[in-house]
Amino acid sequence: MKIAVIGTGYVGMVTAAGLAELGHRVIGADKDGEKIGRILSGVVPIYEPGLDELLAANIQKGRLSFSAELNPVIRDADVIFVCVGTPQHADGSADMSQIEEVSRLIADNLDRYKLVVEKSTVPVKTSHWIKRTIGLHKKTDTAFDIASNPEFLREGSAVSDFLHPDRIIVGVETDRARDILCGIYGRFKDRLVVTNIDTAELIKHASNSFLALKISYINLISNICEKTDANVEQVAEGMGLDPRIGGRFLKAGIGYGGSCFPKDIKALVKIGEDLGVDMSLLKEADRINFDRVRLVIEKVKQALWILKDKRIAILGLAFKPETDDIREAPSINIIRELVREGARLRLYDPQATDNMKLVFSPEPGRLEYFASPYLAAEGTNALLLLTEWEEFAGLELDKIKGTMANPIIIDGRNIFAPAALRKLGFEYYSIGRK
Ligand code: UGA
C-alpha cells in the first residue's frame, strides 16, 4: 500500500511519521512548497517531542518522503489520509474549503481505486460531501471509498499517542475500506473500533467536547471552592477515584485552549443547532471557559489593585506544556487585558516566545520577552504563571524572590504548594484553594 498524507500540520506530520513507523511507505504532501522545502532540508516545522527522531529514522529507512507536487502524489497513492486544516468561521462552524480543495484534487487524479480517509476533525456528514465532490468531478468511472479515522493526538505527546493508541476509530461503509484501514493499523488489532462514517465523525467531536466539558465543570467547582474552605485539587482527586468519573482532565486552571477544544466545542454547538438540537449544555461550558480570563485578571487586581505601570512577569505562554503552540492560548486574552490596563509585562516561555512575538511585538519597557524565568521576574510586582511547564516546578524560588520588587505569585495552574510558598515568604494566589 502506498499512502499519501495530505497536509503537513501537526496532525499530518505525526500521521505521516507514525504510519511510516508502522512499516508503510508514506509520502507527506503539502501545497506549501516552502514548508516542504524546509522539511526536506531537515527542519521540522513544529515542536513536538520525539517527532524529529521519528521523521529522521523513517526518512533514512526510505519509508517516508515529502513532496509539494500534490497531483502525482495522489495519483501514485492507494490510500490518501486527508489532514488539512478545518479552521473556524466567525459563527463557530468549521471552514471546509481546504477539504473541498483536496477532494477536487483527488477527483482530478482518480485513475484507479483509492481509499480516501478523513483524519482532520470534521463535522458529522462531511464524508457525504467529500464523496459527492469526488463523484461530481472525477473524470473516469473509477470506484473509490471514503472512511473516517479521526485522530486523538494530544500536542506534546502526539508521537506516543499515535504509537500507543487507546482506540482507533475506523468509520467505513464498505468491507473493502474496512479491510484496508484495519490492515494499515494491523498492529493495533485489539484497539480497532469499526463503526459507520457518521458515527466515527461524531465520536471525535463528542470526545473533545466532553473533555472540554469536564474541564469547565471542575473550573465551575473551583469557583465554589474559592468562596469556601474546599480545596479543588482534593475535590478532583476524590471525584476522580470513582472509575466512572476518572481523574484525568479534572485539573482546574485558567481554562482550556489550543487548536482543538475551543474550536471543536463551538463546531459541535453549531452542528447540533443546525440539526435543531438544543446545545445549551456545551454553550455554557464554552462560556465558563471564556470567563476564566476575567477570574485571572480579578486575582491580579486582588494582589496589585491598580495595574497601570505595575510590572508583571508572565511565565508560560503556550496553551499547555511541551508545545510551542499558542493557538487560542488563554495567555493571549490575559496579556491583552493586562496591556489594556496599562501593566508592564515581562514574558517568558521555554518554546512559544517566537510565536507569541507574532501576536504581541516587543515594546521596550511595556512588553518584553526574556530568555529565562529569572530574568523575566526581575523587579516585578507580581509573577503570573500560566502554563505548567515542568521547569517551573523546579524554579529556585528563593532566587526569584530575591529579585522581585514584591514577592507575589499568582499560579494559574496550581503547580506550587500554598503552604510551602507562604513559608518562603510569598503572597500566593492559586485556583480553587487557599
Ligand atoms: C486535544 C485532545 O486531548 C486530543 O485527544 C485530540 O486529539 C486533540 O485535542 C485534537 O482534537 O487534535 P490538545 O488540544 O493537544 O488535545 O491538548 P489537551 O492536552 O487535551 O489540552 C487541551 C487544553 O485543556 C489545554 O489548554 C490544557 O491546559 C487544558 N486542560 C487539560 C485543563 O485545563 N485541565 C485539564 O485537566 C486538562
Side-chain angles (χ1 to χ4, degrees), residues 16-88:
L19 289 170
E21 182 67 15
L22 295 184
H24 303 296
R25 268 179 303 155
V26 183
I27 299 197
D30 201 298
K31 64 177 178 184
D32 184 344
E34 219 175 282
K35 194 172 180 188
I36 292 293
R38 283 201 303 273
I39 297 171
L40 288 173
S41 67
V43 182
V44 180
I46 50 172
Y47 171 75
E48 185 62 43
L51 184 59
D52 297 30
E53 295 82 346
L54 201 68
L55 286 166
N58 282 285
I59 290 172
Q60 209 238 330
K61 284 178 191 143
R63 291 198 294 242
L64 178 62
S65 57
F66 289 90
S67 169
E69 300 296 327
L70 291 176
N71 289 310
V73 167
I74 291 172
R75 262 198 309 278
D76 205 35
D78 302 302
V79 183
I80 300 157
F81 282 80
V82 180
C83 300
V84 294
T86 52
Q88 195 180 312

Side-chain angles (χ1 to χ4, degrees), residues 121 151-155 204 208 211 215 248-251 255-261 264 319-320 388 413:
T121 302
E151 58 84 15
F152 298 102
L153 311 172
R154 286 163 304 164
E155 283 180 31
K204 172 62 198 240
N208 273 5
L211 291 170
I215 297 168
R248 294 169 74 189
F249 282 72
L250 274 186
K251 187 112 187 67
Y256 55 77
S259 63
C260 304
F261 288 177
D264 289 354
F319 82 98
K320 67 174 199 177
E388 65 278 35
R413 300 289 189 174

Side-chain angles (χ1 to χ4, degrees), residues 302-320:
Q302 204 184 330
L304 298 178
W305 190 22
I306 305 297
L307 302 189
K308 189 164 177 346
D309 289 332
K310 293 282 161 59
R311 286 193 169 74
I312 301 174
I314 298 192
L315 302 194
L317 306 172
F319 82 98
K320 67 174 199 177

